Amino acid sequence: MAPGSVVLPAAESGVPAAEPVAAFLERLPARTVRVVKLGLAALEWLPFPHRFSRQSVEARSGFLARMEGSRLSVYRDLLLLAKTLVMVGWARDERVREAVGFEARCAVREGSPAPESGGLGGLEPRGDGEECDVAIVGSGAGGAAAAALLAEAGLDVLVLESGPYVDRHSYPTDPIEGLPLMYRDGGLTIAAGRPAIPVPVGRTVGGTTVINSGTCFRAPEEVLEEWAAEDGIGWARALDGRYAAAEEQLAVRPLDPETMGRNGQLCMQGAEAIGASGGPISRNAGDCVQCSSCPLGCRIDAKRASHVSYLPRAVAAGARVRAGVMAERVLVEDGRAVGLECRAGLPTTAAEEMARGDRLAETRSWRVSARTVISAGGAFGTPELLLRSGIRHAELGRNLHVHPAAWIGGRYGEDVRGWEGVMQSYYVDEWQHRGLLLEATFTPLSFGAQWLPGVGADFMSRVERFDRVASIGVHLHDRSSGRVGMRSDGSLRLSYSLSAEEARTIQFGIARAAEIHFAAGATEVYPNTGPVSVIRRDRLEEFEGKSFRPGDLRLEAFHPMSTARMSADPGRGVTDPNGAVRGAAGLYVADASIIACALRVADGVAGGAAGRVATGGEGTLAAAQ
């Protein structure tokens, strides 16, 4: 896969790759490791009656090339798995990075004050359990925002997070360390389907906000209108004030085109050349002008992730944050949530997690007593917790929606050095009416090289010129859906079915991204589709004329949502319009990383909880504003 070149050191003979990957796998959940082993075993026996590892290097290279061009998606999926593992192990090495010229760093505008972040106090869970007014499971965007509002309303708030606390003093630079430390399943959370789609989510104090790229959009008006019309969410039309408050708290600002970096500038130039509307992306990073480490945490914490924004604010108002605590189930008595049954003793800091290595943590039973429980574990964690707790609703775990995304690279005749500037920088909304949003987005070498086409020497020649690659992400506002469930061994089961119609929409979006690349001067484009690995300038029309199946696309997905859907209709919604879970009083959901909505839910909880504290009774939920 990585035989090296005149410039690049070869895997194994020049740079170790297998050993780092083995160390990486040792720290992943057992089921994830089993899936990876199954995939590698399949790769070993695919050339039957021969074994892959016992063939010559030339024969193996030829076989991998045939896999890349195969019409069978399983071949291409296995090749992508192998490429991904090799890049995590090989491209992380400093010798490879130096050969390419890649450098990860963060900086704010000259003259701007250094970013500040308040402390979170003691993170260690105390004794055999704790008491509070409101227990919040999850410390990401929804949970942290709700915690700040509720603590400032005078309630005793306890925030639980299963992952460790990591900040600018402890962010790892090596993906082998960072992925198991800060990502669920080491970044290998995958929704089964055709195609299988990775959905990376965070597992650290601050949740996915710590490892995302900081892009901040308000929900489109047509989406809010749909929520109001179809599900009776009347307050969806009145979120402007909450959006404004969140944007102020998070220092959300549009990027300056002069400092966004060449990757974004090329996208902007190409879009303007074809007359496509767009603009600089707004990010929760204040005066940040350079970031190329976002997937492993902002090295100066300029990105106002939840652990340096809302959570310190919550702690300043009296809230407590407990890391290394896995909430196993909600305790329900007489139809009302009264607390949580947990396991404590998981690592609370990066240092503890790294010291643990592949040893299992010694955990203990730990109980929370609470008047109100809020699940803010996201579209995966919330149904996981509610299902384990015996909460039953026909729609729980169903209706999984994501933003399926394709990485579209373009090779240029000039230096791009996409790691200089800001990772996500410019958006194109010309085709939003078709459910498409395009973003100039550059991915660090260890996470992005596997999307380049080719194997062996052909692949190496493209990695070698990674400095001349620009990239655009094609994101789909989906109507396809999936499901979150539980396996018999207690692990999470994800599935997602991309419709043929939406596969065609993504194909259209890929073609538009290619058109933008070519208008900006690209010489070839990488569409990440099975049947076509490279588009030349004069072959775009031919690409658009092809018929693609869902399994022909190589996708990732982001922003999972809707598995505990809110609706005024009891049959459609797991929760009512106030976020209250049907069938369990005192239990709420405030997640999906939509901060404005989480604040709205927390407002209602604050009113209801304050009433119960004052009267010792049930209280009333605050009316929608």
Side-chain angles (χ1 to χ4, degrees), residues 356-373:
R356 178 173 69 91
D358 61 345
R359 293 179 290 104
L360 293 176
E362 295 182 6
T363 63
R364 67 183 188 276
S365 179
W366 200 74
R367 182 182 174 115
V368 174
S369 296
R371 294 182 174 90
T372 300
V373 174

Side-chain angles (χ1 to χ4, degrees), residues 283-302:
R283 301 180 68 243
N284 62 328
D287 291 328
C288 173
V289 294
Q290 165 65 43
C291 70
S292 50
S293 70
C294 278
L296 294 178
C298 177
R299 294 184 180 178
I300 57 174
D301 278 333

Side-chain angles (χ1 to χ4, degrees), residues 214-225:
T215 294
C216 293
F217 282 108
R218 293 189 179 192
E221 286 299 320
E222 58 269 25
V223 172
L224 299 177
E225 289 293 334

Side-chain angles (χ1 to χ4, degrees), residues 71-85:
R71 290 289 296 179
L72 297 177
S73 61
V74 64
Y75 280 77
R76 299 194 303 271
D77 288 346
L78 287 173
L79 179 65
L80 184 58
L81 170 66
K83 254 187 178 179
T84 299
L85 293 175

Side-chain angles (χ1 to χ4, degrees), residues 207-429:
T208 304
T209 68
V210 181
I211 49 92
N212 69 11
S213 296
T215 294
C216 293
F217 282 108
R218 293 189 179 192
E221 286 299 320
E222 58 269 25
V223 172
L224 299 177
E225 289 293 334
E226 181 180 318
W227 291 356
E230 294 190 9
D231 286 298
I233 314 300
W235 51 260
R237 299 187 182 96
L239 287 173
D240 285 353
R242 300 181 199 282
Y243 277 128
E247 288 162 353
E248 181 178 359
Q249 169 71 34
L250 299 173
V252 175
R253 298 172 193 169
L255 291 169
D256 180 350
E258 293 296 320
T259 58
M260 68 168 56
R262 193 66 184 138
N263 188 65
Q265 291 168 353
L266 287 170
C267 180
M268 178 174 64
Q269 291 170 13
E272 290 174 349
I274 66 172
S277 64
I281 282 174
S282 292
R283 301 180 68 243
N284 62 328
D287 291 328
C288 173
V289 294
Q290 165 65 43
C291 70
S292 50
S293 70
C294 278
L296 294 178
C298 177
R299 294 184 180 178
I300 57 174
D301 278 333
K303 180 175 65 179
R304 308 310 291 163
S306 293
H307 69 312
V308 295
S309 56
Y310 277 108
L311 284 178
R313 180 176 143 188
V315 170
R320 292 162 284 155
V321 178
R322 299 293 181 249
V325 177
M326 172 63 71
E328 295 190 316
R329 66 186 185 95
V330 180
L331 298 174
V332 179
E333 295 178 3
D334 298 324
R336 178 171 193 84
V338 296
L340 293 154
E341 186 177 283
C342 310
R343 300 295 300 178
L346 296 170
T348 61
T349 65
E352 288 180 18
E353 176 76 22
M354 296 308 300
R356 178 173 69 91
D358 61 345
R359 293 179 290 104
L360 293 176
E362 295 182 6
T363 63
R364 67 183 188 276
S365 179
W366 200 74
R367 182 182 174 115
V368 174
S369 296
R371 294 182 174 90
T372 300
V373 174
I374 295 177
S375 178
F380 300 157
T382 285
E384 183 179 30
L385 175 62
L386 298 187
L387 287 168
R388 281 202 305 253
S389 304
I391 304 296
R392 296 293 177 260
H393 189 285
E395 298 301 307
L396 180 58
R398 297 181 182 272
N399 312 301
L400 171 64
H401 289 285
V402 293
H403 289 146
W407 182 96
I408 312 304
R411 181 166 176 172
Y412 287 76
E414 63 174 274
D415 283 350
V416 178
R417 297 180 65 83
W419 52 87
E420 295 180 352
V422 179
M423 284 185 60
Q424 290 186 356
S425 51
Y426 191 85
Y427 71 87
V428 179
D429 61 358

Side-chain angles (χ1 to χ4, degrees), residues 141-163:
L149 188 151
L150 291 166
E152 289 170 352
L155 296 169
D156 181 18
V157 176
L158 182 66
V159 180
L160 306 180
E161 171 58 54
S162 63

Side-chain angles (χ1 to χ4, degrees), residues 65-118:
R66 291 193 295 276
M67 288 179 70
E68 183 174 55
S70 173
R71 290 289 296 179
L72 297 177
S73 61
V74 64
Y75 280 77
R76 299 194 303 271
D77 288 346
L78 287 173
L79 179 65
L80 184 58
L81 170 66
K83 254 187 178 179
T84 299
L85 293 175
V86 170
M87 289 304 100
V88 167
W90 175 75
R92 61 179 275 280
D93 193 278
E94 200 58 42
R95 286 164 290 184
V96 176
R97 296 186 180 196
E98 286 180 3
V100 173
F102 176 83
E103 180 187 9
R105 63 186 183 89
C106 301
V108 294
R109 191 183 308 278
E110 187 175 351
S112 297
E116 296 182 0
S117 57

